[in-house]
């Protein structure tokens, strides 16, 4: 829709998470408004590492830079293929149509129209959570 506002990343995450939880049989009122989902631990993700994981069945990338831990959707914004980290090239690559992203999910090359979706993250007691 040309006149509809573009949804925020937070709204997209809520839609994705809400749909996944609804598919699992949890109605909205039973889920509550805020929750954290464990997706990894710092023991498995040393600084400089990138690891694939799942978030309610959706492929994600856990990224531990020198300063932060980030979680990106591993769904290419072009046509929905699953992207993967290429350590040799230091890029996130889409195998379908040649899309390339930097370590923060910004488009570097190819047809993707937008960066990868960054999910809100919290690190607590060495555990990595996606926060809703």
């Amino acid at each position: 829709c040309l006149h509809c506002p573009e949804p925020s990343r937070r709204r997209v995450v809520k839609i994705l998470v809400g749909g996944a939880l609804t598919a699992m049989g949890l109605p909205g009122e039973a889920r509550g408004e805020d929750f954290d989902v464990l997706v990894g631990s710092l023991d498995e993700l040393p600084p400089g590492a990138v690891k694939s994981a799942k978030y309610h069945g959706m492929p994600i990338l856990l990224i531990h830079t020198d300063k932060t831990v980030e979680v990106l959707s591993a769904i290419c914004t072009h046509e929905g293929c699953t992207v993967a980290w290429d350590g040799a090239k230091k890029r996130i690559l889409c195998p379908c149509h040649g899309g390339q992203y930097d370590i923060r999910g910004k488009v570097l090359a190819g047809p993707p129209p937008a960066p990868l979706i960054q999910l809100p993250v919290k690190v607590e007691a060495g555990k990595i959570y996606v926060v809703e």
Side-chain angles (χ1 to χ4, degrees), residues 23-81:
M24 292 170 30
L26 297 173
E29 59 275 4
R31 292 191 311 261
E33 183 63 31
D34 295 324
F35 57 91
D36 303 333
V37 178
L38 179 65
V39 293
S41 73
L42 292 179
D43 293 339
E44 303 167 343
L45 194 70
V50 177
K51 180 182 176 191
S52 296
K54 295 279 186 176
Y55 172 61
H56 293 296
M58 178 179 74
I60 59 173
L61 296 172
L62 307 176
I63 301 165
H64 192 172
T65 66
D66 292 335
K67 299 176 184 175
T68 64
V69 173
E70 295 184 27
V71 177
L72 298 176
S73 165
I75 305 292
C76 183
T77 58
H78 176 234
E79 289 195 7
C81 296

Side-chain angles (χ1 to χ4, degrees), residues 47-126:
V50 177
K51 180 182 176 191
S52 296
K54 295 279 186 176
Y55 172 61
H56 293 296
M58 178 179 74
I60 59 173
L61 296 172
L62 307 176
I63 301 165
H64 192 172
T65 66
D66 292 335
K67 299 176 184 175
T68 64
V69 173
E70 295 184 27
V71 177
L72 298 176
S73 165
I75 305 292
C76 183
T77 58
H78 176 234
E79 289 195 7
C81 296
T82 300
V83 299
W85 174 250
D86 185 319
K89 294 183 179 180
K90 302 285 186 209
R91 290 183 177 203
I92 299 167
L93 304 178
C94 180
C96 296
H97 302 104
Q100 297 182 30
Y101 302 87
D102 70 9
I103 196 164
R104 303 197 68 114
K106 179 183 170 194
V107 177
L108 295 175
L116 295 173
I117 294 173
Q118 185 172 8
L119 304 175
V121 65
K122 170 176 84 173
V123 178
E124 187 173 90

